[in-house]
Amino acid sequence: MDGTMEHRCCEKMNTVEMGFFLEQVSSRHPKDYILMVVDGASSHKSKDLVVPANIALIGLPPYSPQLNPQERIWDELREKAFPNRVFSTMAAVREQLKNGLEKLCANAARIKSLTAWPWVKLVLS
């Protein structure tokens, strides 16, 4: 776990978009075997979801956001990119989200500090 983070902004989240995201991650890291933590969203466990050969999805138990490292990423984005902000359009919100994600992605050490929980390190060892 080196603190590399991938993201994709889309209008809706469904199985097709999740498939696009998995393909994006797979193609950007073709030599890596990726263990991706996912929650119980239907788009993460659909029988129609195509998971690339170099990715394995690790499902979390139901109702366990405290186990999901991604929740720490969202907390960081809310705190750093959206503090006390009011937006006049959804386009402005999307632009702020995109900027916040790009800034966070550029800080691998911060990503690692947020997501390298003991259980994650154990799974990867």
Side-chain angles (χ1 to χ4, degrees), residues 30-92:
K31 295 180 181 177
D32 297 322
Y33 188 74
I34 299 156
L35 301 175
M36 186 178 294
V37 177
V38 295
D39 61 19
S42 60
S43 60
H44 297 166
K45 57 185 184 178
S46 169
K47 63 181 171 74
D48 296 327
L49 181 63
V50 177
V51 180
N54 66 329
I55 296 178
L57 303 180
I58 299 174
L60 293 172
Y63 308 105
S64 59
Q66 73 280 5
L67 297 177
N68 192 343
Q70 179 60 36
E71 295 298 329
R72 300 274 309 273
I73 297 295
W74 287 121
D75 288 344
E76 183 78 356
L77 280 169
R78 278 189 293 269
E79 181 181 311
K80 300 291 193 293
F82 291 90
N84 301 317
R85 297 283 310 266
V86 176
F87 297 90
S88 58
T89 66
M90 276 306 291

